[in-house]
Amino acid sequence: MHSSEQLFERAKQLIPGGVNSPVRAFRSVGGAPFFTRRANGAHLYTADGDDLIDFVCTWGPAIHGHNDPDIRAAIGEALNNGTSFGTPNAYEVEMAELITEFVPSIKKVRMCNSGTEATMSAIRLARGYTQRDKIIKFAGCFHGHVDSLLVKAGSGALTLGNPDSAGIPASFAAETIVVDYNNADEVRAAFEQHPDQIAAIIVEPYPANCGLILPDEGFLELLRELCTANGTVLIFDEVMTGFRLAKGGVQERVGITPDLTALGKIIGGGLPVGAFGGKAEIMDQLAPLGPVYQAGTLSGNPLAMAAGIAALKKLKSEDPYPLFEQLGSTIREALLDAAQAKGLPLQVPQVGSMFALFFAEKRVRNYGDATSSATHHFNTLFHHALKNGVYLPPSAYETCFICTAHNGRDIERAAEVLAEGILAI
Ligand SMILES: *Cc1c(COP(=O)(O)O)cnc(C)c1O
């Protein structure tokens, strides 16, 4: 048996920073990360024997909680037949049928292995389809670690204080036009300055890697209109929001049809999966039908497909979305009440099972608002919560996730701990 401290010492010798994804290193909140030995329901059990109520939920995928028995059974059954075939398999077909049923804008879909692959491939496809090079992205939106999208990105890139990664040629980044989210004038100006050159707009329709930011009325509709008018492909990156905020993601909630959608996280049921899909006319540009190349040794992997299919079917049979709305607002109200009692300005954007905390006076509408919030208060709250058995994401710029397993005592207990934490700031 090894403690987190011992494991981290060993890890740091051989793994850069001791972690395989930067935000896990706790650089943003300070202190050293814990190692998890096992996870069940809404709880993580650490190498040090601690039991934590988990609001990270493996950064989104665990919508049914950890170690869900149905997902485990599906993986077990698939495992009996082997781990990978490298040929087409029936799971892929069932997955494609489920995705197109859940997300009607997706007429055809291609599976890949991560959200990063999904956005990278969607961008390439949009460029191939339009025969244009430039793309528009929004400051603070994170689309995985794709070269041309790591410009003013959110998530770990943001907390490192190093939003533009080293190692990306300036010429790649030059094809990316970065505009402020919720700034209609800037988007219009980008189209005016680069007529017939913009292949795609890629957007997290509810940006959730910079805290959680919600669109102003009409903003997403404007993106749809401008894309249609300019022959530009509208890509919704719903890697995080897909299946989480509604069966059909944000696009279902707001009634907007993107041309392409990137998916990930929940569709893997906890195994590594991504997918992108959309209009058949665009998707048919992919090899082997069309000139846009995209491939993957383990794409459509039977274990990952089986896990994802089980996760999606369970969303269909349980319809947890009304429950999430209720659990989310319970937490939100507890946080706001505590902040008011303390006299601290706090914003808690929350939609269903997603919420974030910004210690700020006004509603956060964009990256600039988010980064000017008082993140040191979040960091204090993070450590109070962790000491008292509640695990928030280790960065003020990540979104907190609720899963179905939080139902009942866990939400009450977490609301209590977080309220105490705010009063103690
Ligand atoms: C997590 C995330 C990605 C990247 O997915 P990975 O599987 O980590 O590569 C892309 N876009 C959004 C919106 C995400 O939240």
Side-chain angles (χ1 to χ4, degrees):
M1 202 91 89
H2 295 279
S3 68
S4 292
E5 196 183 333
Q6 289 166 329
L7 286 164
F8 197 44
E9 281 312 310
R10 280 167 60 199
K12 281 189 291 188
Q13 305 300 314
L14 301 172
I15 304 172
V19 294
N20 282 313
S21 196
V23 69
R24 297 181 195 168
F26 279 27
R27 291 287 172 100
S28 170
V29 290
F34 62 85
F35 280 60
T36 300
R37 185 177 309 138
R38 75 188 177 88
N40 201 59
H43 291 249
L44 295 179
Y45 300 91
T46 73
D48 315 300
D50 292 324
D51 170 353
L52 305 173
I53 304 173
D54 178 20
F55 286 95
V56 181
C57 291
T58 187
W59 305 93
I63 194 164
H64 302 294
H66 295 286
N67 204 15
D68 176 75
D70 296 322
I71 295 177
R72 217 176 48 223
I75 296 172
E77 203 177 304
L79 184 59
N80 288 329
N81 295 321
T83 56
S84 174
F85 310 138
T87 71
N89 66 68
Y91 295 105
E92 298 169 294
V93 186
E94 188 176 0
M95 178 60 103
E97 286 167 353
L98 279 170
I99 291 174
T100 52
E101 178 194 327
F102 276 51
V103 189
S105 72
I106 299 183
K107 303 299 180 200
K108 287 197 174 177
V109 62
R110 173 71 56 87
M111 302 308 299
C112 53
N113 302 293
S114 69
T116 295
E117 275 188 51
T119 59
M120 176 184 79
S121 304
I123 292 284
R124 183 183 306 138
L125 178 57
R127 285 174 164 154
Y129 173 73
T130 57
Q131 306 198 354
R132 299 174 181 175
D133 291 338
K134 293 204 184 301
I135 55 171
I136 291 178
K137 86 171 280 286
F138 296 92
C141 279
F142 176 72
H143 305 292
H145 60 98
V146 179
D147 278 350
S148 60
L149 297 175
L150 269 183
V151 185
K152 289 239 164 114
S155 197
L158 185 55
T159 59
L160 286 174
N162 180 21
D164 304 349
S165 169
I168 297 176
S171 57
F172 289 16
E175 301 296 354
T176 305
I177 303 160
V178 181
V179 301
D180 254 346
Y181 186 80
N182 275 331
N183 190 329
D185 290 342
E186 281 193 11
V187 187
R188 282 197 203 93
F191 278 101
E192 277 159 25
Q193 280 162 24
H194 306 281
D196 301 323
Q197 291 174 56
I198 300 173
I201 292 182
I202 185 165
V203 63
E204 286 184 82
Y206 290 180
N209 283 284
C210 185
L212 177 62
I213 300 177
L214 298 173
D216 289 351
E217 182 137 356
F219 181 67
L220 295 173
E221 287 78 1
L222 175 80
L223 302 184
R224 179 63 279 177
E225 279 163 31
L226 287 171
C227 282
T228 304
N230 290 280
T232 294
V233 176
L234 178 61
I235 305 172
F236 271 14
D237 178 353
E238 298 225 45
V239 170
M240 190 180 277
T241 51
F243 313 107
R244 176 165 283 282
L245 292 184
K247 267 172 63 193
V250 174
Q251 55 193 274
E252 178 186 313
R253 294 180 72 102
V254 299
I256 295 175
T257 307
D259 301 306
L260 292 177
T261 299
L263 297 169
K265 298 192 169 125
I266 288 172
I267 35 163
L271 292 184
V273 179
F276 61 102
K279 279 188 175 160
E281 179 195 345
I282 303 178
M283 291 301 290
D284 285 346
Q285 296 297 308
L286 283 176
L289 292 181
V292 178
Y293 192 71
Q294 189 277 337
T297 301
L298 291 175
S299 296
N301 173 268
L303 298 189
M305 294 301 97
I309 289 166
L312 296 191
K313 281 187 170 163
K314 205 166 161 132
L315 288 176
K316 197 152 89 169
S317 64
E318 290 187 357
D319 188 24
Y321 305 103
L323 170 71
F324 285 148
E325 211 54 70
Q326 193 190 317
L327 299 178
S329 59
T330 301
I331 288 265
R332 175 171 193 272
E333 278 159 30
L335 293 169
L336 290 175
D337 287 351
Q340 198 176 21
K342 177 75 182 175
L344 261 185
L346 177 67
Q347 305 294 320
V348 185
Q350 175 256 327
V351 189
S353 60
M354 296 169 71
F355 66 95
L357 291 88
F358 291 113
F359 289 92
E361 298 277 354
K362 284 195 294 202
R363 181 169 90 85
V364 169
R365 293 179 56 246
N366 55 39
Y367 172 84
D369 291 349
T371 50
S372 55
S373 69
T375 55
H376 59 286
H377 288 332
F378 177 87
N379 296 348
T380 306
L381 178 63
F382 170 86
H383 285 292
H384 171 92
L386 190 58
K387 268 196 212 97
N388 290 281
V390 174
Y391 179 47
L392 295 177
S395 155
Y397 300 119
E398 301 288 348
T399 294
C400 306
F401 295 108
I402 295 169
C403 65
T404 54
H406 277 118
N407 198 9
R409 184 74 193 114
D410 286 332
I411 283 286
E412 267 172 52
R413 173 70 190 142
E416 246 168 59
V417 167
L418 295 176
E420 281 165 17
I422 288 172
L423 292 171
I425 284 174

